[in-house]
Amino acid sequence: QVQLVESGGGLVQAGGSLRLSCAASGGTFSGYGMGWYRQAPGKEREVVAAIRWSSGGTYYADSAKGRFTISRDTAKNTVYLEMNSLKAEDTAVYYCVASNFFGAVVGGTADYWGRGTQVTVSS
């Protein structure tokens, strides 16, 4: 059973940076897609970024392009989301997700989810 555990959320001022980490276990992730979703109160869930575990190919939502970077460390089975130039509208619970189909991650229908980590950006 795939398990995903997020860390690194917190409170940061607008313009600041945070790095989220996601430790993955319980599977062989070759061929998987991994990613980050977020959901703010009263808003729809949003796909933030995704990465192909094997090739490192990436996808970013328009809201993340130029500010966020997704990466993975295959030796540590860990996925990262580096977030820079944070804005108040980035405030949300961020979820690490995974699927054996990259398109599912990009499409918002990943099979496996972590419990989420809160990111709060004060303006």
Side-chain angles (χ1 to χ4, degrees), residues 8 13 29 35-36 45-46 50 53 59 74 90 92 100 116 118 123:
Q13 289 188 330
F29 299 106
W36 293 90
R45 181 182 65 214
E46 180 183 12
W53 188 260
Y59 162 86
T74 56
D90 295 316
N100 59 7
Q118 176 71 46
S123 57

Side-chain angles (χ1 to χ4, degrees), residues 2-3 8-9 19 25 38 63 79 91 99 115 119:
V2 173
Q3 292 187 326
R19 187 176 81 157
S25 62
R38 68 184 182 187
S63 58
V79 178
T91 296
S99 174
R115 293 192 173 186
V119 171

Side-chain angles (χ1 to χ4, degrees), residues 52 101 106 115 122:
R52 295 181 185 272
F101 178 44
V106 173
R115 293 192 173 186
S122 63

Side-chain angles (χ1 to χ4, degrees), residues 9-72:
L11 174 64
V12 64
Q13 289 188 330
S17 299
L18 278 177
R19 187 176 81 157
L20 305 183
S21 300
C22 172
S25 62
T28 302
F29 299 106
S30 175
Y32 267 58
M34 315 285 280
W36 293 90
Y37 296 166
R38 68 184 182 187
Q39 187 155 25
K43 294 187 177 181
E44 291 188 358
R45 181 182 65 214
E46 180 183 12
V47 177
V48 178
I51 188 166
R52 295 181 185 272
W53 188 260
S54 297
S55 70
T58 57
Y59 162 86
Y60 293 95
D62 287 344
S63 58
K65 287 178 182 176
R67 300 188 300 126
F68 295 2
T69 302
I70 189 170
S71 62
R72 88 275 188 252

